[in-house]
Amino acid sequence: MKELQDIVTDFLTIKSCGQIAALATVVKVKGSTYRRPGARMLMSQDGCMTGSISGGCLESDVFEHAKQVMASGEPTLVKYDPEVAEEIIWALGLGCNGAVHVLIEPLDKQLTFITECLNNRHSGVLATVFCVEGQLQAKVGNHLMLYPDKNITNEIADSILTQAVISDAQLVLQHQKSKVKIYNLPAGRAEVLIEFIQPPTPLLIFGAGQDAMPVVHFAKELGWHVTVVDHRPTYLTPEKFPYADNLILTSAEAAYKRVLLEDSTVAIVMTHNYFHDRELLKMLLPSAVRYIGVLGPKRRTAELLEDLQAEGIVYTQEQLSRLYAPVGIDMGADTPVEIALSIVAEIQAVLTKRAGGLLRDRKAPIHHPIDEPDVQAIQPSQQHISI
C-alpha cells in the first residue's frame, strides 16, 4: 500500500510539472516470481523510479523499454520468460525461475482512478487489457474502471468484451480478489488483468500515550490510515503525532459518536486506564471491526470481560475471536518501539490470514499461489450479459 501511495504522490508531482513518464505494471506471472500481478513502477524521463516490479534485476531493462513508450506514447507488453528467452534472462540476472509479463504504458486514466480510490478511501476495480489477438475492437492498454457505486468508465470499444469484463469486475469487487482473465471471442482473444484496488487500512488507536507514537510510525510506513483517539488535549497534539491522519478528542464513553467501526477497520486499545478500556471494549466487541488488540496482561483483559458479563453483556465466540490480548506477536518485545513493531506485525498477519510464525518453519510457499488465468469462451449469443 505504501509503495502505491508513493507512486500516486510522484504521479501527481509529474502531472503538475507537465513531465513525461511511464508506468510499468506486472500483469501476469508464472512460477516463482518476486512480485505479484499488480506490482507497479513509475518511471520519469530523467530516470527516476518509484516502486518496483522485481527484486532489482528487471528494472533497468524495463526502463529502456519505457523510454520508447514515452517517446511514442504507445503501450507495450514485455515478456521475461526463461523458457523462451534464456539468454536474455541470464544476462539480466533474473533471480527467480518464473515468467513475468510487464505492461509499460504512458500515464493515463489508470493512475487517476487509483489516486481517487486511495484519496477518497474507497475500493474499486481496474481492468487492463494487456494482450490482444485477432480482429477485436480493443487495444493493449485499454482500461475499464468500476466504482463501488457501480458507475463505470470504459475505453474498450468491443461491446461483447466490455460486457464480459464488467461482469468479472463486479465479481472481483464483491470478492476483493484480483484475477487474470483470458477471453476467447469469435473476433479474437484478449488477456485482461482485473485488479481490486484496496483503500488504505483504517487503524484506530485509542490512547495517546508515548507508546502510541511508534505504532503510528510503523502503521504509516505500511500506508495505513491512522486515527488516534484520546480525551486529553495536552496528549493529543499534531506535534506529538505528526504522521497521524486524524486526531479525535473525545471520551471513551462518547467515542462511538466520532469513529467509524467498519469491517475493514482495525483497532488497538492502549489507554492504560482500566475503566476507559472497559468502555471501549463494550463499544468495539459488538461492532464490525475485524481486529481488536488490547494492551496489557491476559488476566487484565479477562477481568474486563468478566466486568462486562456482570453487566449482562454476553459476547459470541465470533466476536471474541476478533479480540487479541495480550496484543502483539511473541517476539520478546520490551521497549515501546519493540512492542509497537510486534503489534503492527500481528495486525499485518491477521489481515493476510497468516499465523505470524518463522518463514523457515513454513511448509507451504511464502506467497499464496497465483491462480491460473481463467479462460472464458464467449459466443455471439452471450453478448447480452446482465450489467
Side-chain angles (χ1 to χ4, degrees), residues 261-280:
L261 303 178
E262 302 173 315
D263 58 4
S264 60
T265 302
V266 295
I268 306 170
V269 178
M270 49 192 313
T271 71
H272 299 280
N273 183 294
Y274 185 90
F275 301 104
H276 293 165
D277 287 2
R278 187 175 63 188
E279 289 299 320
L280 291 168

Side-chain angles (χ1 to χ4, degrees), residues 249-319:
L249 183 66
T250 185
S251 66
E253 293 80 6
Y256 71 93
K257 301 177 183 178
R258 304 287 305 279
V259 297
L260 289 176
L261 303 178
E262 302 173 315
D263 58 4
S264 60
T265 302
V266 295
I268 306 170
V269 178
M270 49 192 313
T271 71
H272 299 280
N273 183 294
Y274 185 90
F275 301 104
H276 293 165
D277 287 2
R278 187 175 63 188
E279 289 299 320
L280 291 168
L281 279 181
K282 186 188 297 186
M283 174 187 70
L284 291 169
L285 280 169
S287 74
V289 298
R290 63 190 303 180
Y291 171 97
I292 307 165
V294 180
L295 189 68
K298 182 179 293 186
R299 180 57 195 165
R300 180 178 182 272
T301 302
E303 291 175 356
L304 288 168
L305 294 175
E306 290 170 3
D307 283 357
L308 294 173
Q309 290 171 357
E311 295 181 21
I313 303 174
V314 179
Y315 298 108
T316 67
Q317 190 58 44
E318 187 279 328
Q319 290 170 338

